[in-house]
Amino acid sequence: MRQKIHYLNYHILIPYLLLVVFGIIMVYSSSSDILLVNGFKPATYGIRQAIYALVAFFGFGVPIFALKIDVFKSRKFVVWFFMISCALLAFLVVMKIFKGSSAAVNGAVGWINLGFINLQPLEVAKFALVIYLAYVLDRRDGKLVKGQIVQNLSHPAILSAVMMCLVIVEPDFGGTAILFMIVLVMFSVSGVPTSIALRWLLGIIVIVAAVVVLIIIWNPKFLQESYQFQRLMSFLHPFELEKKGGAQLVNSYYAIHNGGLVGVGLGNSMQKRGYLPEPYTDFILSIAAEEIGTLGAIAILGLLFYLMWSIMEVGLYATSQFNALVCFGVTTILFTETIFNVGAVLGLLPITGVTLPFISYGGSSMIVLTSCVALVLNISANEKIKKHMEESVA
């Protein structure tokens, strides 16, 4: 552990810490007014987010950084972690079947109430899928050649599809898309020929686009009442459907417009005072843009993308296939979540409920993302130690 600390990658650690601290500040700022109006202490969510961050850092981050990488590469750990994550997702499906809409939050059954925290199994599933695919694809290194690709990728593809099916049943389309992107990217960088990977991507884009267009044209009655369909329609016609589901997007526009370049000042947002629903979750960037301006919001995103690049850089120079794949998988999680969240806030993508990494309120997301970062820091330290030992011998 002490040796690893000397090889800490501060290009990853510092941006992570800055994002977490700023996230706590923004959660407090964006939630305080609503809490006060409803008779709660204004700092409740801010304190909770700080507790989540501390538990994530010391309870999960430090131990994961201290453990040997071989622990995460062991078959026993990988199998159990993947099975537990699928079991948690299956439990949500059971809840949906027996409790129906009474167990749903914002149209989806995606949380398990543990009392002290609402566990979101999807977050666990993201991390489990990255480690599982890294383990499997590492063992198939050198075997993904023409004529053997289907044979070697069919097993991980089927298990990944099972996980995605469990998530889409909730229904959580944003979560399903993130899992799909993890699979696509990790398959693509594992040795699959570029031409084949590009054909997969093009085919998927065409299929998804065709399905969306057909749904919009068809506009079936049985879907019109569903929460997810209303969100899709609100994305296409936010102002016309402001009272039926477009309120978040419309008020997001107002918040960004009010903030201008430099913002109205921290704590001075108007849209967080009952206009923008749940401003401390997936639309927290809108409040940030209103309070610290477009320039401040760009700075947050710049820090996030710098963190992603630093993680990807570790993967690019990793000497182990497993280490590289973990880094690319974690980068995919952060990149996809950021793109989906920013796209929704700006009205460029449908609202899927995907939160902004490290900034939005949520214990499950904070714990899992911190665990991901800690594993990458562990990998980075081990790669540096290995390189230092090789240079010493030479």
Side-chain angles (χ1 to χ4, degrees), residues 205-317:
I205 291 172
V206 170
I207 292 169
V208 171
V211 169
V212 172
V213 170
L214 284 172
I215 289 173
I216 293 169
I217 295 171
W218 183 21
N219 195 15
K221 288 184 178 181
F222 71 88
L223 280 179
Q224 289 176 20
E225 299 300 321
S226 71
Y227 183 80
Q228 286 71 26
F229 190 74
Q230 286 178 12
R231 276 193 158 186
L232 177 60
M233 290 297 103
S234 298
F235 155 68
L236 296 170
H237 311 287
F239 289 94
E240 291 88 337
L241 300 173
E242 184 177 355
K243 294 182 179 179
K244 292 185 178 180
Q248 275 189 309
L249 185 53
V250 169
N251 284 287
S252 174
Y253 289 151
Y254 291 153
I256 296 168
H257 178 266
N258 292 343
L261 283 176
V262 295
V264 296
L266 199 61
N268 295 326
S269 165
M270 285 297 297
Q271 295 305 309
K272 70 181 182 182
R273 297 173 184 175
Y275 298 102
L276 181 60
E278 298 185 14
Y280 45 89
T281 56
D282 46 325
F283 274 80
I284 198 169
L285 187 63
S286 302
I287 303 302
E290 186 177 9
E291 294 190 344
I292 62 174
T294 302
L295 294 178
I298 290 172
I300 295 171
L301 295 176
L303 201 57
L304 261 171
F305 280 104
Y306 181 77
L307 174 63
M308 293 178 215
W309 169 251
S310 298
I311 292 172
M312 191 167 66
E313 193 174 32
V314 174
L316 288 170
Y317 292 100

Side-chain angles (χ1 to χ4, degrees), residues 23-152:
I24 294 168
I25 293 170
M26 281 312 305
V27 166
Y28 166 72
S29 177
S30 58
S31 65
S32 56
D33 283 62
I34 293 175
L35 288 169
L36 197 60
V37 168
N38 287 282
F40 297 98
K41 293 181 179 179
T44 299
Y45 284 168
I47 292 172
R48 282 187 191 175
Q49 188 73 351
I51 292 171
Y52 292 150
L54 290 172
V55 170
F57 187 84
F58 292 105
F60 292 84
V62 173
I64 287 173
F65 178 73
L67 286 170
K68 292 183 178 180
I69 292 296
D70 289 341
V71 172
F72 301 96
K73 296 171 71 173
S74 70
R75 177 181 174 83
K76 189 175 181 180
F77 172 81
V78 173
V79 170
W80 275 105
F81 191 24
F82 190 83
M83 286 177 62
I84 289 169
S85 65
C86 285
L88 289 171
L89 292 171
F91 179 74
L92 292 178
V93 175
V94 173
M95 283 178 61
K96 181 179 176 65
I97 292 170
F98 289 99
K99 292 189 176 182
S101 59
S102 63
V105 178
N106 291 335
V109 182
W111 290 264
I112 300 172
N113 189 350
L114 300 178
F116 57 92
I117 188 175
N118 284 325
L119 175 65
Q120 191 172 11
L122 170 64
E123 299 300 329
V124 181
K126 294 173 189 174
F127 193 24
L129 184 60
V130 167
I131 292 178
Y132 165 72
L133 290 178
Y135 170 79
V136 173
L137 295 173
D138 178 45
R139 292 168 66 88
R140 285 162 172 70
D141 189 23
K143 298 178 181 178
L144 299 177
V145 294
K146 195 171 182 180
Q148 297 182 26
I149 294 175
V150 175
Q151 177 187 344
N152 284 291

Side-chain angles (χ1 to χ4, degrees), residues 156-236:
I158 291 169
L159 288 180
S160 300
V162 169
M163 181 178 276
M164 284 185 271
C165 287
L166 290 171
V167 175
I168 204 167
V169 168
E170 295 179 14
D172 187 340
F173 299 111
T176 306
I178 292 170
L179 294 178
F180 175 78
M181 287 303 298
I182 292 170
V183 175
L184 181 65
V185 170
M186 293 186 72
F187 274 14
S188 299
V189 300
S190 65
V192 175
T194 306
S195 59
I196 294 176
L198 287 174
R199 285 203 296 270
W200 287 356
L201 181 59
L202 182 61
I204 290 158
I205 291 172
V206 170
I207 292 169
V208 171
V211 169
V212 172
V213 170
L214 284 172
I215 289 173
I216 293 169
I217 295 171
W218 183 21
N219 195 15
K221 288 184 178 181
F222 71 88
L223 280 179
Q224 289 176 20
E225 299 300 321
S226 71
Y227 183 80
Q228 286 71 26
F229 190 74
Q230 286 178 12
R231 276 193 158 186
L232 177 60
M233 290 297 103
S234 298
F235 155 68
L236 296 170

